Amino acid sequence: MTSPYQVFVAALPDVCPADPRRMVFTADSGGRCEIFAWDAEARRARQVTDSSGGTVHRAIDAGGYVWWFEEDAAESGRWWFQHFDGGPRLPGLPGAPAGQPRGLAVTADGAVSAAVAQGRQTVVLMGRRGRAPREVLRTSGPCRLGGIAPDGTLIALASSADDTAAVTVVTRDGRAVATLPGPGRPGTGLWCQGFSPRAGHRELLLVQDLGDCYVPATWTPQEGLNTHHWCTFDTEINARWYPGTREVLVRQDRHGRSLLHRVNLDTRRRKIVPTPPGSLLDAAPRSGGAVDCLWTDTAHPPVPHAVDGDGTTLPPRGPSTVVPGRHTDLWTPSDAGRVHTLLSLPEPAGSAPPPAVFLIHGGPADHDRDAYDATVHSLVASGYAVVRVNYRGSTGYGPHWRRAFPAGVGHTQVADLAAVRADLVSRDLIAADAAALWGVSWGAYLVLLALGSRPGLWQAGIAVKPVADWVAAHRATTPALRGLDIRLFGGTPDEVPERYASSSPLTYAASVAAPLLVVGATHDAKCPPGQIRSYLAALAAADVPHEAMWLDTGHDGYDGATHVAVLRRSLGFLRARLPDPAPRAPDRPPAPAGGPRSR
């Protein structure tokens, strides 16, 4: 291998703080995501990991050591490390408890902090590379490591953004020094973005939701929380520090696409960083104001782009592949506002509207974007129209849209899907009698709910790792998702049973009329297999035509072969149940771009 861009790059490389010529990145290896070390000077890559299920979590520290999280099918494991140039693979923190990864941070002098989830608790550890760590604290609820100060004296822990303790700053001995946003603080959300890397500074970067907009915020031990009201954004953002300055790079998700902003917190000035229209899957600020980013749109797989400090956009690196079809935007009027859809139509256009597949994103706090998707590629190449709807609850359209659930959980989103379907049919863009639904995780939940609550609209459904029974899923899922359920429904199943029942696909299982393919995962902690089996039993009892496929994986997976197997099964299912489109699907579908969308 001569370049990291000859394989699919899942994210921008992590750069060694002490030697920018040394990088680590995640890329495809035999259909799995694995970790590679890249020597920019020698232009040589070396594969670091080779696990049966793939590897995705990684880092590189200032000492030139590559870190990765090695996990089993249940997504539990530990951190390991190896020198950039090779050598023995060693436990990163020997004796550390196994768990699910919740973050790793390494200071310039080698202090290591890590967090792992164990059931309802999160264990925060502190130590040195290759040595037994000590437990800093053990939280009673879910959280993740938000960063460590350059001197190693402060650790940031991030909980749910709308929690009263959204971010907690503790010392390396576990003593809390700040709880953000803090009692009585206004605002409806706070996201931790990490400590400034400047030596001698202990400044934490945050993003704050003020109810009608988003703004960057900072915290220091001396000044406390400082909300930068002068720098507002109408849709969701995240932010990263530029090296050595008080400038931050803000990436904004807006209407299915990305914008970059360079913000100077000292001078209160901001400017657009020019990038091509489309989506930025990752963006990293570099010295001198330069930016590296991973760019894509629906028609082009991800390729790295770079912007110089003066704003000059450099030519993209890597191959340029064009996805077939016509890709456009559609806005459907509704009582709640315009619903945005990304529409991909096959070419050449036939005399009749094509059958359509609605690909439904998960989350719900996520969105479909103008970005390459291997499933879209396969479907359009097979002759289907692909419809991606950013229903109410999606990000990228502002706080009010994200919090809009007037008809209840799920039913609000199903109403938007139905409105878009009617709009497309009225414009003769899709066939009126050939519309299928396909979703993963929370998107799969919407597939089941739509098929059961509005059975006359859809001719087929594919639900991959769904929530099928809200009550059973709530009781068996992860603590973080139980917290999300309580926020969505306004209580637990015992407190508001009628809300869970109204939104549960199990309630409507007997009403499903369209053929249905349900895919479950035996090690899924987020959408557990038991509640899927209960739903399948309800379908069988009602004589609803359905098929089931089981994967020996967890909810998230880094093995491309599994995704391709689901893709092949799903395409075959659609061919048997929708009118045959032209041209036929390719025999070998493209490799999937990343793992499944998360609930």
Side-chain angles (χ1 to χ4, degrees), residues 121-138:
Q121 298 182 323
T122 303
V123 182
V124 182
L125 306 166
M126 192 82 182
R128 312 288 297 188
R129 181 197 320 115
R131 301 180 188 175
R134 58 182 176 81
E135 186 175 306
V136 174
L137 59 87
R138 186 177 291 256

Side-chain angles (χ1 to χ4, degrees), residues 423-444:
D423 189 17
L424 290 170
V425 169
S426 70
R427 301 185 193 209
D428 287 329
L429 291 172
I430 66 171
D433 59 350
L437 298 166
W438 184 344
V440 178
S441 194
W442 212 81

Side-chain angles (χ1 to χ4, degrees), residues 147-173:
I148 186 171
D151 61 4
T153 60
L154 295 177
I155 300 168
L157 302 175
S159 184
S160 172
D162 55 2
D163 200 323
T164 54
V167 179
T168 303
V169 183
V170 302
T171 67
R172 54 190 168 195
D173 296 321

Side-chain angles (χ1 to χ4, degrees), residues 69-71 74-78 96-102 115-119:
F69 194 84
E70 195 165 286
E71 56 193 279
E75 300 171 7
S76 178
R78 294 179 173 86
Q100 296 173 324
R102 293 297 181 264
V116 293
Q118 292 186 311

Side-chain angles (χ1 to χ4, degrees), residues 459-476:
Q459 283 66 55
I462 300 169
V464 182
K465 305 175 186 175
V467 174
D469 175 352
W470 266 119
V471 174
H474 176 85
R475 289 173 176 157

